[in-house]
């Protein structure tokens, strides 16, 4: 009886071990490392980075071993300035903690600054309390909540495993923005849950493990359902973190290889790298670990990360190829602000302009209808108000960006506009 019960399980275990190894192979081969030069150059060009950008970058550099002591110090300094400066959200503090603690001895790493973990535990508690008081809505969002859990898990902070595994159920509304599953958010949750699963198994606590494994499997299904023909998962900016989630969960889902061709995804991402798609340092930092087969769970691997910066020509500045702009020509663009009514205008801007230039031109023409404000963020300018109407997390409102009625995957500071295009900012709920 016992034997027949155990045999199939052992077969399954063996199979899942093999499949997890197959998945690990999907990282860029050494001969192709030069493809990553534009990413690396963008990342270490740190002159204008904010604290949160610096955290994403340091984390990425340490995980991939593309740093040296002087670079390391520069980013640590920027992070410390940001920590002392303004109020930090849970996810911001979590990312800084991940970056500062990455690649240290796991037994001492969380002692690099004990206050960091204490503070993060408080941020976690505040997210929970907000969810309990406001119908399940976190203070920030589930991407940040998951990053916080992941960090507490990796550095032995305190959090309720039972609560988290209930909150990170795959049908939770916080995985969705405007009815659309957020791949970035789901991926971060899978990373957090996978860390939790590991620590539970290591401690031999069986409670909650079933819920956690089930959450991981369902979330991975949702992530894979967002895979496109060309191998991208969600969009180009979520693909790196989705790959991380698929790497760490491969042992929970043996069917990965049947539905996901990892090398196809890798090839497509590399093509986008060469086209300059990752011109924002934060975008480059988020995609880089996966391309080298690393995940955020490697942050406290036993060995400290290996320095291998000589593999890249990082001292050679090789700026990302930007589209040559035709300075002399002008283009005509249609722009609308939609609240309940639609207010439209046609403006002329220089060829090579971004969405923000169009908004500024429209504002010049009629301040009442097209006046707007932005706030600087790690991804560039974020539109906070139009016509004086302010976006607000508490009622899940935001200004959505669209072109030809389709949501954009870039912000107003990055999106290049085309002649004759119809652009819109729409008052929306997520
Ligand atoms: C949560 C989230 C949102 C929320 C933000 C509010 C909230 N409740 O937190 C909502 C749904 C409103 C949102 C809106 C948009 N988002 Co968004 N968002 C995210 C997500 C999943 C997590 C952000 C986060 O918390 N990061 C962690 C914290 C620690 O960092 P942070 O810098 O403090 O985070 C703030 C900024 O990221 C800002 N923010 C969020 N999205 C965007 C987008 C842009 C362009 C800017 C400038 C800022 C910004 O809000 C965060 C919270 O305050 C990321 C995924 C990712 N990979 O980062 C996408 C992501 C950043 N968003 C993206 C996009 C495209 C948008 C929109 C432009 C979509 C659209 N078509 O309208 C709009 C922004 C429009 C505008 N008004 O300017 C892209 C950016 C890609 C790029 N190259 O620019 C990402 C990477 C998702 C993706 N894979 O496409 N977003
Ligand atoms: C680095 O640069 C040197 C000289 O410019 C070149 O020979 C070498 O192939 C480059 N290495 C990579 C990985 O790009
Ligand atoms: C961490 O501590 C454990 C238990 O004390 C020990 O077995 C392990 O070797 C240590 N790891 C490192 C990298 O020092
Ligand atoms: C996976 O993608 C690679 C690269 O695009 C391709 O060469 C290969 O044939 C694909 N494999 C399968 C099983 O589809
Ligand atoms: C570290 O890397 C930076 C950026 O590539 C380079 O300018 C600097 O000389 C390097 N420092 C050391 C000590 O190698
Ligand atoms: C705008 O510039 C791009 C790239 O330089 C060019 O291909 C395009 O024809 C230009 N459009 C107009 C209307 O001048
Ligand atoms: C483009 O627009 C600017 C400002 O309206 C104008 O000064 C310039 O002459 C225009 N250029 C062309 C080629 O039409
Ligand atoms: C730049 O614009 C001028 C005038 O509109 C046009 O003649 C020329 O072909 C354009 N060059 C490119 C590279 O698009
Ligand atoms: C839009 O119209 C609805 C119904 O008339 C109204 O309740 C709401 O306040 C309006 N929204 C805005 C932002 O003006
Ligand atoms: C802006 O548009 C409003 C509504 O159409 C109009 O009443 C106002 O006169 C316009 N202002 C300017 C400066 O054109």
């Amino acid at each position: 009886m016992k034997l027949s019960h155990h045999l199939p399980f052992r077969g399954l275990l063996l199979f899942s071990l093999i499949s997890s190894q197959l998945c690990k192979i999907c990282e860029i081969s050494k001969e192709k490392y030069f493809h990553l030069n534009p990413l690396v150059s963008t990342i270490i060009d740190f002159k204008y980075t904010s604290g949160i950008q610096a955290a994403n970058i340091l984390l990425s550099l340490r995980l991939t071993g593309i740093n040296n002591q002087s670079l390391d110090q520069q980013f640590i300094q920027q992070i410390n300035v940001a920590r002392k400066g303004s109020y930090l959200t849970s996810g911001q503090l979590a990312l800084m903690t991940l970056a500062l603690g990455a690649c240290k001895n796991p037994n001492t790493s969380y002692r690099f600054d004990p206050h960091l973990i204490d503070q993060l535990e408080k941020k976690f508690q505040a997210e929970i309390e907000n969810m309990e008081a406001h119908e399940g809505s976190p203070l920030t969002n589930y991407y940040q909540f998951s990053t916080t859990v992941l960090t507490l898990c990796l550095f032995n902070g305190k959090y309720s495993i039972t609560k988290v595994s209930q909150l990170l159920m795959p049908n939770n509304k916080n995985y969705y923005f405007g009815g659309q599953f957020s791949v970035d958010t789901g991926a971060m949750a899978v990373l957090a849950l996978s860390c939790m699963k590991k620590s539970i198994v290591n401690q031999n606590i069986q409670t909650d493990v079933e819920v956690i494994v089930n959450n991981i499997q369902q979330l991975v299904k949702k992530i894979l359902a967002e895979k496109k023909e060309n191998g991208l998962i969600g969009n180009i900016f979520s693909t790196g973190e989705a790959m991380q989630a698929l790497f760490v969960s491969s042992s929970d889902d043996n069917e990965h290889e049947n539905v996901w061709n990892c090398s196809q995804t890798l090839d497509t991402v590399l093509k986008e790298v060469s086209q300059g798609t990752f011109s924002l340092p934060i975008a480059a930092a988020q995609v880089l670990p996966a391309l080298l087969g690393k995940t955020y769970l490697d942050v406290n691997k036993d060995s400290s990360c290996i320095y291998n910066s000589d593999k890249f020509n990082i001292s050679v500045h090789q700026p990302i190829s930007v589209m040559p702009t035709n300075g002399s020509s002008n283009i005509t663009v249609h722009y609308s602000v939609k609240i309940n009514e639609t207010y439209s205008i046609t403006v002329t801007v220089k060829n090579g302009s971004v969405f923000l230039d169009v908004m500024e031109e429209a504002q010049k023409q009629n301040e009442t209808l097209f006046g707007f404000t932005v706030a600087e963020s790690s991804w560039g300018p974020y539109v906070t108000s139009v016509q004086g109407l302010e976006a607000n997390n508490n009622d899940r409102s935001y200004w959505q960006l669209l072109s030809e009625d389709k949501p954009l995957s870039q912000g107003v500071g990055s999106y290049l506009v085309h002649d004759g295009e119809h652009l819109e900012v729409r008052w929306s709920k997520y």
Side-chain angles (χ1 to χ4, degrees):
M1 276 302 278
K2 241 184 179 170
L3 200 65
S4 67
H5 191 85
H6 271 94
L7 270 176
F9 176 67
R10 272 165 68 178
L12 204 74
L13 191 69
L14 197 66
F15 182 61
S16 69
L17 282 175
I18 291 167
S19 79
S20 110
Q21 271 172 358
L22 277 178
C23 236
K24 281 279 181 246
I25 295 170
C26 178
E27 67 182 74
I28 186 168
S29 59
K30 289 200 170 57
E31 311 84 71
K32 285 189 177 172
Y33 273 4
F34 71 92
H35 284 300
L36 302 179
N37 284 345
L39 284 183
V40 176
S41 299
T42 303
I43 283 176
I44 63 179
D45 193 9
F46 50 81
K47 288 175 210 82
Y48 303 104
T49 55
S50 66
I52 193 64
Q53 277 174 310
N56 267 286
I57 290 169
L58 181 61
L59 175 59
S60 193
L61 289 178
R62 282 185 169 183
L63 275 179
T64 52
I66 312 176
N67 59 340
N68 61 36
Q69 228 156 18
S70 66
L71 271 178
D72 221 66
Q73 282 307 317
Q74 307 248 26
F75 289 113
I76 290 173
Q77 224 162 50
Q78 290 189 32
I79 291 171
N80 283 334
V81 167
R83 274 176 63 200
K84 286 176 192 117
S86 52
Y87 167 86
L88 296 177
T89 64
S90 63
Q92 291 175 340
L93 185 65
L95 274 166
M96 290 177 184
T97 308
L98 278 179
L100 293 172
C103 306
K104 303 275 163 83
N105 182 320
N107 290 345
T108 55
S109 59
Y110 64 93
R111 280 187 230 128
F112 56 89
D113 185 348
H115 297 303
L116 272 177
I117 304 299
D118 295 348
Q119 284 171 1
L120 198 59
E121 285 170 353
K122 292 203 181 81
K123 299 279 181 194
F124 170 83
Q125 217 36 57
E127 294 280 10
I128 298 277
E129 277 159 24
N130 203 79
M131 283 189 250
E132 283 167 358
H134 295 100
E135 293 165 339
S137 293
L139 266 182
T140 58
N141 54 55
Y142 256 26
Y143 183 92
Q144 295 198 33
F145 179 63
S146 299
T147 311
T148 303
V149 171
L150 171 65
T151 309
L152 288 174
C153 172
L154 287 171
F155 295 114
N156 300 317
K158 281 195 283 294
Y159 64 98
S160 161
I161 289 176
T162 306
K163 250 184 207 163
V164 169
S165 39
Q166 293 302 317
L167 286 168
L168 291 185
M169 292 274 200
N171 56 352
N172 191 291
K173 66 170 183 186
N174 293 309
Y175 289 113
Y176 295 84
F177 295 125
Q180 173 66 42
F181 180 72
S182 164
V183 170
D184 318 63
T185 306
M188 206 48 104
V190 166
L191 288 166
L193 288 162
S194 300
C195 178
M196 288 164 64
K197 188 190 134 196
K198 254 196 195 165
S199 77
I200 286 178
V201 168
N202 287 347
Q203 290 165 31
N204 241 336
I205 309 166
Q206 286 308 308
T207 352
D208 307 312
V209 78
E210 245 171 70
V211 182
I212 290 173
V213 167
N214 186 55
N215 286 355
I216 293 173
Q217 282 177 348
Q218 298 304 314
L219 285 170
V220 164
K221 242 184 223 148
K222 284 174 191 277
I223 289 169
L224 285 172
E226 298 297 328
K227 186 174 65 68
K228 307 293 185 271
E229 273 298 287
N230 61 3
L232 295 186
I233 308 164
N235 64 24
I236 182 67
F237 302 109
S238 53
T239 298
E241 290 181 344
M243 287 174 81
Q244 287 195 31
L246 296 175
F247 289 160
V248 300
S249 63
S250 56
S251 59
D252 290 301
D253 189 341
N254 301 318
E255 288 171 31
H256 269 33
E257 298 88 63
N258 301 332
V259 283
W260 180 43
N261 182 345
C262 182
S263 12
Q264 187 206 9
T265 299
L266 201 59
D267 287 350
T268 305
V269 172
L270 288 181
K271 209 169 95 206
E272 296 273 355
V273 168
S274 70
Q275 289 166 356
T277 306
F278 296 95
S279 57
L280 291 176
I282 192 164
Q286 286 189 2
V287 78
L288 190 60
L291 300 182
L292 290 163
K294 301 286 183 187
T295 78
Y296 296 149
L297 292 195
D298 296 328
V299 152
N300 67 357
K301 272 261 177 73
D302 277 1
S303 59
S304 50
C305 311
I306 302 143
Y307 285 64
N308 58 5
S309 55
D310 46 331
K311 283 182 194 152
F312 301 89
N313 283 337
I314 56 169
S315 54
V316 182
H317 189 71
Q318 191 181 344
I320 275 184
S321 60
V322 273
M323 261 216 270
T325 51
N326 197 330
S328 63
S329 70
N330 289 334
I331 56 174
T332 303
V333 182
H334 311 284
Y335 171 61
S336 306
V337 170
K338 187 175 178 191
I339 304 173
N340 274 335
E341 270 176 76
T342 304
Y343 310 89
S344 299
I345 189 172
T346 299
V347 298
T348 299
V349 291
K350 277 195 187 126
N351 192 5
S353 294
V354 292
F355 200 138
L356 188 65
D357 300 320
V358 172
M359 294 176 77
E360 274 165 359
E361 185 56 35
Q363 177 170 251
K364 236 188 263 167
Q365 311 259 334
N366 193 322
E367 174 91 39
T368 318
L369 293 183
F370 301 110
F372 71 96
T373 58
V374 296
E376 256 329 298
S377 86
S378 54
W379 288 91
Y382 180 79
V383 177
T384 46
S385 81
V386 183
Q387 280 187 24
L389 188 56
E390 291 232 20
N392 185 340
N393 262 2
N394 290 334
D395 60 8
R396 291 172 71 87
S397 58
Y398 78 113
W399 284 100
Q400 186 181 34
L401 313 179
L402 306 105
S403 166
E404 310 299 343
D405 224 27
K406 287 203 234 12
L408 292 176
S409 59
Q410 286 179 298
V412 290
S414 314
Y415 182 74
L416 283 167
V417 299
H418 313 289
D419 195 29
E421 188 170 13
H422 291 84
L423 298 169
E424 184 174 307
V425 294
R426 186 182 295 173
W427 179 248
S428 306
K429 302 269 168 165
Y430 58 79

